Short mmCIF file of all heavy atoms in Angstrom, two decimals:
data_model
loop_
_atom_site.label_atom_id
_atom_site.label_comp_id
_atom_site.label_asym_id
_atom_site.label_seq_id
_atom_site.Cartn_x
_atom_site.Cartn_y
_atom_site.Cartn_z
N LYS A 77 86.32 81.37 62.21
CA LYS A 77 87.16 82.52 62.58
C LYS A 77 88.41 82.62 61.70
O LYS A 77 89.37 83.29 62.07
CB LYS A 77 87.57 82.42 64.04
CG LYS A 77 86.40 82.50 65.01
CD LYS A 77 86.87 82.44 66.46
CE LYS A 77 85.71 82.57 67.43
NZ LYS A 77 86.18 82.53 68.85
N VAL A 106 100.95 82.15 54.55
CA VAL A 106 101.46 82.17 55.93
C VAL A 106 102.51 81.08 56.10
O VAL A 106 103.59 81.32 56.67
CB VAL A 106 100.32 81.99 56.94
CG1 VAL A 106 100.87 81.81 58.35
CG2 VAL A 106 99.36 83.18 56.88
N VAL A 258 101.46 86.17 92.88
CA VAL A 258 100.73 86.59 94.08
C VAL A 258 101.26 85.88 95.32
O VAL A 258 101.31 84.64 95.37
CB VAL A 258 99.21 86.31 93.94
CG1 VAL A 258 98.45 86.88 95.13
CG2 VAL A 258 98.67 86.88 92.64
N GLU A 266 97.27 85.07 116.88
CA GLU A 266 98.20 85.50 117.92
C GLU A 266 98.97 86.76 117.49
O GLU A 266 99.71 87.33 118.28
CB GLU A 266 99.20 84.39 118.22
CG GLU A 266 98.59 83.05 118.52
CD GLU A 266 98.40 82.19 117.27
OE1 GLU A 266 98.70 82.69 116.16
OE2 GLU A 266 97.97 81.04 117.40
N VAL A 316 109.02 90.74 100.34
CA VAL A 316 107.95 91.43 101.06
C VAL A 316 108.37 91.50 102.52
O VAL A 316 108.75 90.48 103.11
CB VAL A 316 106.60 90.70 100.91
CG1 VAL A 316 105.51 91.40 101.71
CG2 VAL A 316 106.20 90.59 99.44
N ALA A 434 98.00 82.64 147.65
CA ALA A 434 97.98 81.76 148.83
C ALA A 434 98.90 80.56 148.64
O ALA A 434 99.35 79.97 149.64
CB ALA A 434 96.56 81.30 149.11
N THR A 525 123.63 93.53 161.39
CA THR A 525 124.95 94.14 161.53
C THR A 525 125.84 93.36 162.47
O THR A 525 127.03 93.64 162.59
CB THR A 525 124.82 95.57 162.08
OG1 THR A 525 124.14 95.52 163.35
CG2 THR A 525 124.04 96.46 161.13
#
Side-chain angles (χ1 to χ4, degrees):
K77 297 182 178 180
V106 172
V258 185
E266 308 90 357
V316 177
T525 58

